[in-house]
Amino acid sequence: MRSFKLVPLLAAAAALLAVAPSGAAARRTHSVRPHTSRPCRIHIETPKAPIASGEPVTVIGTLICPKAEEAAGRQITLFGQSAPKPGFTSVGSATTEKGGAFQVPLAAFTTNSTFYAVAEGVQSAHRTIRVSAPIAVGPPTPAEGTQLYTAGGVKLRRHNRITFAGEVNALNAGAVVVLQREDAAASENWHAIARGTVDAQGKFAIVHSFLVPGAANIRVVVRPLKVNGLSVNAPAASSPMSYEISQAQNPALKIEGTPDPLLYGQSVKITGVVAGAAANTPLTLLAGGKGGGFQPVATGHTGAGGVYEFTQTPLTNTLYRVTAAKASSAVVFEGVKYALNVATPPSSVAAGQPATFSGSMLPALTGHVVYLERQSPSKLGWHVMDIGTVGAAQKPGEAAPFTILHTFRTPGAYHLRIKIPGDPGNQGTAGAPFELQVTPAPASTLRPEAPGESRRPSEGQL
């Protein structure tokens, strides 16, 4: 008697002989012959949102046959093409589980890649994985939180030029990199303030001078080029960095804030010296915020040698200056960082299952975004994996809660952190990094990523 299982096995072997490449390389498409006796269909899914450069990924799919029991135990071969190289090669294989589900874990990718699967004499549609350009910002770029100074006048403009430098994939040589600053009136609204170009080694440097004191939330965006007609990478933005821009000192009346920046709820000492002033010279401390002029907030007198001191507890980013009868200080910016409390994160989660990350922030700002970030495999920077939104505080003055639900579909170790990006009102802050282990799961439990499931920051106005 002829075995029932022999037919599909022979058919699978014949199909693989018909489509398997003779070497590592394969043609862009295969001449596949439909399986006439037991026709099946094959479907694959890849992540909808761009992945980070160097991040492994899992391709999932299903073999669909007229009889469900016939879809199990079949061999799947996956072919891939990574820009800018032409042609497809065999990149992995899998055996279908009960019901026809399968998964193919793949090694890390650095450029956009396209895939299709072959099984039972049929070929799937093509699916593309977009890989964000691996942008890293580093020295001589000032560290986040650094006090910078405005460049008023030719001499100060030359002295206070700031260089923002870094590197991307060398395949993006010639691409434009854009230095962006967050709008002073709205969060997550980015506009270009300077541009540069990626050199042949993948490096860039953008020089910029700040003219107005205040908060400066800065990031770099790269717009990759096409090579051999293929887009090498998806656009990418660096993790935002918060800076403090103050005016250069007036020698006649110096001013300084310590500590700088502040954590929400901390007090700052505004100190300085009035040159040549006698003791008990009257002084006025003025403060200003975004969109408003300066208002007196305290009065005092100089001590011996013209020194003075004020103590303030600002709850948002604040500009200060001190005036005396015959002099006025420069404007000093005092940044106030969000206070972030992160609940104990999970240490492990199964692939395909959502992980919950939660916490709270002060000051409470309903609707503010919170980032789930992963450190790049190169350890050179962080990229946003998903975005959550801050809810409403239960009572005035209390912290506002947030929750981020994110589904990890590829097993492995993840080095993560929670970050509240800065905005016109307060400076950004990041929680302590933590580890998450994503464990393997059966292919039948994995579901494709829904469009818009994982949010990313916008590119802004380039």
Side-chain angles (χ1 to χ4, degrees):
M1 178 179 292
R2 188 174 184 179
S3 171
F4 175 78
K5 294 184 179 179
L6 183 60
V7 174
L9 290 175
L10 290 174
L16 287 174
L17 288 174
V19 301
S22 57
R27 295 192 302 273
R28 179 175 294 272
T29 57
H30 288 269
S31 298
V32 292
R33 180 173 54 84
H35 196 289
T36 55
S37 60
R38 298 185 185 277
C40 297
R41 293 180 291 111
I42 186 170
H43 178 79
I44 63 172
E45 286 286 351
T46 54
K48 300 291 190 301
I51 65 171
S53 177
E55 183 178 340
V57 70
T58 297
V59 175
I60 63 174
T62 307
L63 181 66
I64 306 169
C65 296
K67 294 182 179 180
E69 64 271 16
E70 296 177 1
R74 302 303 179 95
Q75 184 75 16
I76 306 292
T77 304
L78 188 70
F79 294 89
Q81 174 198 37
S82 293
K85 298 178 181 179
F88 284 77
T89 61
S90 174
V91 295
S93 62
T95 302
T96 58
E97 300 175 3
K98 182 179 180 179
F102 64 89
Q103 56 182 315
V104 184
L106 299 175
F109 289 91
T110 58
T111 60
N112 294 344
S113 302
T114 301
F115 303 91
Y116 66 86
V118 172
E120 294 303 298
V122 293
Q123 176 181 310
S124 73
H126 288 202
R127 292 288 184 268
T128 297
I129 293 176
R130 293 178 296 154
V131 182
S132 298
I135 184 169
V137 179
T141 304
E144 185 172 11
T146 300
Q147 176 74 253
L148 307 177
Y149 295 94
T150 58
V154 176
K155 183 178 180 180
L156 288 178
R157 184 172 293 113
R158 181 173 61 252
H159 179 71
N160 290 330
R161 287 175 177 169
I162 309 300
T163 298
F164 297 88
E167 59 182 306
V168 298
N169 192 325
L171 290 172
N172 290 297
V176 173
V177 285
V178 182
L179 186 68
Q180 292 185 328
R181 183 173 182 174
E182 190 174 39
D183 193 280
S187 61
E188 290 294 290
N189 186 9
W190 299 89
H191 62 276
I193 57 175
R195 299 175 187 274
T197 305
V198 179
D199 67 17
Q201 287 73 46
K203 298 182 179 180
F204 65 87
I206 305 173
V207 179
H208 182 71
S209 297
F210 294 95
L211 302 179
V212 179
N217 297 308
I218 301 294
R219 70 179 187 178
V220 178
V221 174
V222 60
R223 293 284 296 176
L225 300 173
K226 287 187 176 182
V227 179
N228 297 331
L230 299 174
S231 295
V232 176
N233 286 113
S238 65
S239 184
M241 301 170 288
S242 293
Y243 295 103
E244 306 177 4
I245 315 299
S246 296
Q247 287 182 333
Q249 291 285 354
N250 175 7
L253 202 170
K254 293 185 177 180
I255 182 173
E256 183 179 0
T258 307
D260 186 23
L262 301 173
L263 186 62
Y264 181 84
Q266 282 186 316
S267 296
V268 59
K269 288 186 177 181
I270 307 295
T271 60
V273 178
V274 183
N280 293 318
T281 298
L283 299 173
T284 301
L285 176 67
L286 300 99
K290 62 171 185 175
F294 283 87
Q295 300 294 329
V297 292
T299 58
H301 297 81
T302 57
V307 299
Y308 67 86
E309 179 179 310
F310 294 97
T311 300
Q312 295 286 298
T313 308
L315 300 181
T316 59
N317 297 334
T318 304
L319 298 166
Y320 290 104
R321 71 178 181 182
V322 173
T323 60
K326 297 181 179 180
S328 178
S329 74
V331 174
V332 66
F333 176 79
E334 188 67 32
V336 180
K337 301 174 69 172
Y338 279 107
L340 170 64
N341 177 51
V342 179
T344 302
S347 59
S348 66
V349 66
Q353 299 300 312
T356 301
F357 307 92
S358 60
S360 61
M361 60 175 275
L362 275 170
L365 186 58
T366 303
H368 195 286
V369 297
V370 180
Y371 293 162
L372 172 65
E373 294 187 330
R374 181 183 186 184
Q375 189 174 41
S376 65
S378 63
K379 308 296 184 183
L380 294 177
W382 297 82
H383 70 275
V384 179
M385 296 194 73
D386 211 338
I387 296 178
T389 304
V390 176
Q394 291 186 351
K395 297 179 181 179
E398 290 188 346
F402 65 82
T403 298
I404 302 174
L405 291 176
H406 185 79
T407 300
F408 299 83
R409 291 176 169 81
T410 299
Y414 290 74
H415 192 61
L416 306 170
R417 74 177 185 182
I418 301 296
K419 180 171 184 176
I420 301 175
D423 58 41
N426 290 86
Q427 289 199 306
T429 188
F434 56 90
E435 303 293 331
L436 176 70
Q437 187 69 36
V438 179
T439 58
S444 58
T445 65
L446 303 179
R447 297 291 180 267
E449 180 181 334
E453 178 182 323
S454 297
R455 298 170 56 193
R456 299 291 193 277
S458 69
E459 291 181 47
Q461 300 175 8
L462 300 177

